[in-house]
Amino acid sequence: MKPSSLIGALIAWLFVAAAAPAAAATITVHDIAGRDVTLEAPVKRILLGEGRQLVALALLHPHPASLLVAWSADMRRQDERLYDLYRAKFPLLDRVPFVSRGSPDTFSVEQALAAAPDVAILSGGYGPSRRSDDVVHKLEAAGIPVVFIDFVEDPLTNTVPSMRILGRLLGQEARAEQFIAFYQSHMDRITTRLAAARPALPNVLMHAHAGHMECCNSPGRVTIGAFIDIAGGHNIAVDVLKQPAGRPSLDETMARGQLSLEYVMARDPDIYVGTGGMHLQALGGLVLGPGVDPAISREDLAKVVSKPGLDGLRAVRTGRVHGIWHLFNNVPFNFLAVEVMAKWFHPELFKDVDPDESLRELNSRFLPVPLVGTFWISLDQKPTERGR
């Protein structure tokens, strides 16, 4: 055998060996809801309460579709282009039944039970959450272990432990630790430098689902709003948004809601960040995501901030207007959003940070379906371009 062939065979063997599940054993995981769940692992039949978590499985397992026996349709509904990319890579997905249309109220316990999963992985968002006591009780009463992960409600706290949980469930602990080390190195670079420099924090308006509704739906420190603080900005929404109704378990800083245009104009933020995605394509909003041309995203962003009230903000007058992919609010590689925003907020401090290069490394090392498209955009093209 030629040396090159021998090396190729060795690499292939190492990949297969790394991907091969360990022998089945009983494990106990401490999930994000604070529950100790005992089950047989590696699991072979997964019910995914939120379809978008397929991306998290794909970071750790070479054939995630082979593990699914049921999932939610939220990925198809919210980002059909991303859904089609995963279908093309994993045709088995077409055989996996949906147990909901992509919302907690459409989740069918009967269909979930019929799928006979080894485990139900729930995460909130567009599926049953920690507050879905009835669903959890029925699944567990039928002998189906329920494990909670989270990338959306408190991503800064829960992303790393969630990936570690998935690693244990899938028998891919080493792969999970590789991703966590990669993730943490990028987060640490931002936080360490900010802690040392202690720069003044710019006031930031985050306009969620930009262009879809009247100004301005905005997150507090929950979901994608959580990344503003750690990236070195001050989110003007947290000064007024209070505890959401019906969510007594959440601190008031976890609130999200509607800011009045009058409030936004009075605060006159230094930086505008609109969030967008494919779900806004038919709604006249900011379109970002896989396969999107940056010229389209930039045009959408310009339209959004040209509306009366927004057009006179300091952020618009000084060219500090940006857009970011909303789905960063519910994926494990949310460090990209932090890197991009840190560069927008403090361009000199992070002039050597290159989110495009970080995305390329993520694609080459971890993602079986590479992210190619426009995931961030600026009206002023100089600071940070697009994430292609």
Side-chain angles (χ1 to χ4, degrees):
M1 181 178 292
K2 296 179 179 179
S4 59
S5 299
L6 181 61
I7 293 172
L10 178 60
I11 292 174
W13 180 85
L14 289 172
F15 180 78
V16 171
T26 300
I27 65 168
T28 298
V29 296
H30 188 72
D31 76 1
I32 293 303
R35 307 154 65 251
D36 290 324
V37 183
T38 300
L39 71 168
E40 292 291 315
V43 295
K44 297 179 180 178
R45 299 174 61 83
I46 294 175
L47 182 153
L48 213 49
E50 189 172 20
R52 291 184 293 183
Q53 302 315 341
L54 174 65
V55 176
L57 297 184
L59 285 167
L60 302 183
H61 196 282
H63 306 293
S66 68
L67 302 175
L68 287 189
V69 294
W71 66 325
S72 168
D74 54 274
M75 179 190 278
R76 182 180 65 175
R77 189 187 70 184
Q78 293 296 108
D79 195 329
E80 192 167 4
R81 192 169 293 175
L82 184 66
Y83 171 72
D84 286 340
L85 289 170
Y86 272 85
R87 285 177 62 219
K89 178 68 177 182
F90 305 112
L92 278 177
L93 285 175
D94 288 336
R95 302 181 186 179
V96 182
F98 292 119
V99 293
S100 87
R101 294 195 296 274
S103 60
D105 60 309
T106 61
F107 183 85
S108 169
V109 173
E110 291 73 19
Q111 291 178 325
L113 296 179
D118 295 337
V119 63
I121 299 176
L122 307 184
S123 56
Y126 288 106
S129 71
R130 283 175 272 183
R131 291 166 285 280
S132 304
D133 295 336
D134 185 57
V135 171
V136 174
H137 174 74
K138 289 178 177 175
L139 291 174
E140 292 184 331
I144 299 172
V146 175
V147 174
F148 285 98
I149 59 174
D150 172 51
F151 302 108
V152 62
E153 193 164 284
D154 192 2
L156 295 178
T157 301
N158 292 335
T159 293
V160 167
S162 292
M163 291 304 289
R164 200 159 273 144
I165 289 168
L166 289 178
R168 293 199 68 197
L169 293 179
L170 273 55
Q172 298 290 341
E173 291 94 334
R175 178 75 169 172
E177 292 305 323
Q178 289 172 8
F179 176 79
I180 289 168
F182 172 67
Y183 174 93
Q184 202 63 60
S185 68
H186 285 264
M187 294 293 270
D188 289 348
R189 178 169 57 169
I190 301 300
T191 56
T192 301
R193 197 174 298 184
L194 280 171
R198 300 174 65 86
L201 307 183
N203 282 329
V204 178
L205 167 65
M206 178 167 278
H207 186 182
H209 312 290
H212 170 39
M213 297 184 293
E214 294 300 317
C215 175
C216 291
N217 182 281
S218 190
R221 291 194 173 97
V222 71
T223 72
I224 199 166
F227 307 133
I228 295 176
D229 282 347
I230 197 170
H234 175 75
N235 181 355
I236 64 170
V238 304
D239 298 330
V240 290
L241 294 179
K242 302 302 179 184
Q243 189 179 58
R247 307 286 294 277
S249 63
L250 297 182
D251 181 87
E252 68 176 26
T253 59
M254 304 289 277
R256 71 192 97 176
Q258 189 75 13
L259 301 177
S260 70
L261 181 58
E262 291 74 18
Y263 172 75
V264 171
M265 293 171 65
R267 293 299 303 270
D268 201 13
D270 303 302
I271 298 174
Y272 172 97
V273 178
T275 77
M278 293 304 299
H279 63 294
L280 298 181
Q281 190 170 33
L283 301 173
L286 172 60
V287 175
L288 293 159
V292 176
D293 189 308
I296 292 175
S297 300
R298 189 172 292 109
E299 182 179 351
D300 290 342
L301 185 59
K303 286 180 183 176
V304 171
V305 296
S306 69
K307 294 181 178 178
L310 293 181
D311 61 350
L313 296 179
R314 178 187 298 114
V316 179
R317 298 196 310 272
T318 58
R320 303 186 76 179
V321 174
H322 313 283
I324 197 162
W325 191 38
H326 193 85
L327 198 55
F328 280 128
N329 76 339
N330 201 358
V331 288
F333 40 85
N334 49 49
F335 71 88
L336 288 170
V338 175
E339 278 193 354
V340 170
M341 285 195 271
K343 198 171 180 73
W344 289 338
F345 300 167
H346 305 285
E348 283 300 315
L349 185 61
F350 295 108
K351 60 185 177 184
D352 61 322
V353 172
D354 184 354
D356 289 331
E357 178 56 34
S358 300
L359 176 57
R360 282 191 287 272
E361 186 175 0
L362 175 74
N363 282 335
S364 66
R365 292 184 59 191
F366 294 100
L367 279 176
V369 179
L371 283 178
V372 178
T374 304
F375 303 96
W376 48 82
I377 195 78
S378 299
L379 285 190
D380 177 355
Q381 299 181 33
K382 295 176 184 176
T384 292
E385 290 293 329
R386 61 196 187 200
R388 290 178 67 85

